[in-house]
Amino acid sequence: MEGVIAHVRGGTVLNIYDFVDVIEQERGYGWQVKSTKSSTPVTWKRAKIPNSQQLILASREGTKGLENLGNAIIHFCNQHIRESFALYRLEQLGYSRLIVYPDRAIVYFEKQLCSKEQPDLFDPNNFSWRWASPKVTTKKEQLPALHGIHKLTNQKWWAWHGLGENQLHFSGEKNWWPSHNDPHAIRFNLPSAAEKLSIEEFLEILDRDDFSS
């Protein structure tokens, strides 16, 4: 997907683990690119939080400790974005997203996230934090995750697996998805096994005038 976006937008793919995946250096624009099934949680990255062990221990003691750990996670995300702005001399950073639904419907959209003047995407004051109950499967007990709850909507936006492999899932990303009638989204169907959508046809879809404007 990164290669397709780079081709359509005249950019360059960065095969690294920075926040930005594709840049268009002349305009100073970068894109974070995601392409998953609709049911697959978006992974921010492995969030290795400095002093995580001390913060985790303190989070078990009460609300203040939970708040400090959650703030460290939000700071990690915002700093991740700031690093891309500085490293690639970006002016704007956007989000390029392709969603595949169970009925083979495809939705593609782009969204501006933040700018060099206002690089912080998340406000730590918008979230509360709590440890989830451990999940028990037929094979073993899974380690609990730290959940970040968006205060305004009371929705779970974050799940940090800091007791395991430090995966940070961002389920709040679904709040960025366009409504069904949003004119800035492209909708089409995934070809069946008997059909194929050529790369030229896919590029033509993404380069439609009514979308790219």
Side-chain angles (χ1 to χ4, degrees):
M1 195 60 203
E2 287 86 346
V4 172
I5 300 307
H7 180 89
V8 172
R9 302 305 182 199
T12 302
V13 177
L14 303 174
N15 293 311
I16 47 178
Y17 288 102
D18 290 333
F19 181 81
V20 65
D21 295 307
V22 176
I23 61 170
E24 203 274 89
Q25 198 70 73
E26 185 175 344
R27 290 195 301 144
Y29 207 98
W31 291 267
Q32 159 80 203
V33 181
K34 293 291 185 184
S35 175
T36 70
K37 294 180 179 180
S38 59
S39 58
T40 303
V42 164
T43 300
W44 190 274
K45 65 175 296 185
R46 294 190 188 280
K48 296 181 179 180
I49 305 301
N51 302 317
S52 62
Q53 293 306 309
Q54 294 90 330
L55 288 168
I56 288 171
L57 288 173
S59 73
R60 304 291 194 183
E61 301 298 323
T63 303
K64 185 60 178 177
L66 280 167
E67 181 180 313
N68 289 339
L69 178 55
N71 288 351
I73 292 170
I74 296 300
H75 175 77
F76 173 89
C77 295
N78 286 334
Q79 186 60 29
H80 192 204
I81 297 170
R82 284 175 174 265
E83 288 168 358
S84 283
F85 271 110
L87 185 59
Y88 302 107
R89 300 186 299 278
L90 301 177
E91 299 293 329
Q92 303 283 340
L93 210 156
Y95 189 59
S96 168
R97 179 72 158 103
L98 186 139
I99 310 164
V100 183
Y101 288 89
D103 62 356
R104 306 178 71 82
I106 302 284
V107 172
Y108 177 81
F109 70 92
E110 292 179 7
K111 172 184 174 64
Q112 182 172 322
L113 292 182
C114 45
S115 65
K116 184 175 68 174
E117 289 73 25
Q118 295 181 314
D120 289 341
L121 185 55
F122 304 108
D123 183 347
N125 295 316
N126 290 339
F127 302 97
S128 60
W129 301 84
R130 63 183 181 224
W131 286 101
S133 301
K135 292 183 178 179
V136 179
T137 66
T138 55
K139 294 183 179 180
K140 63 179 181 179
E141 180 177 332
Q142 296 180 354
L143 296 172
L146 182 70
H147 288 174
I149 309 301
H150 188 246
K151 293 178 181 178
L152 183 62
T153 61
N154 201 33
Q155 295 176 345
K156 184 186 75 173
W157 276 37
W158 303 97
W160 181 58
H161 298 269
L163 300 179
E165 298 180 348
N166 295 304
Q167 290 277 12
L168 179 60
H169 291 156
F170 177 42
S171 54
E173 181 261 353
K174 288 192 173 184
N175 290 274
W176 297 347
W177 292 9
S179 64
H180 184 73
N181 296 321
D182 193 324
H184 297 97
I186 292 174
R187 289 173 172 81
F188 57 99
N189 292 323
L190 188 69
S192 67
E195 302 172 332
K196 289 187 177 180
L197 182 69
S198 71
I199 187 65
E200 290 79 12
E201 290 171 321
F202 189 33
L203 292 173
E204 184 178 347
I205 288 172
L206 295 185
D207 207 26
R208 274 175 21 190
D209 289 340
D210 60 343
F211 175 75
S212 59
S213 59

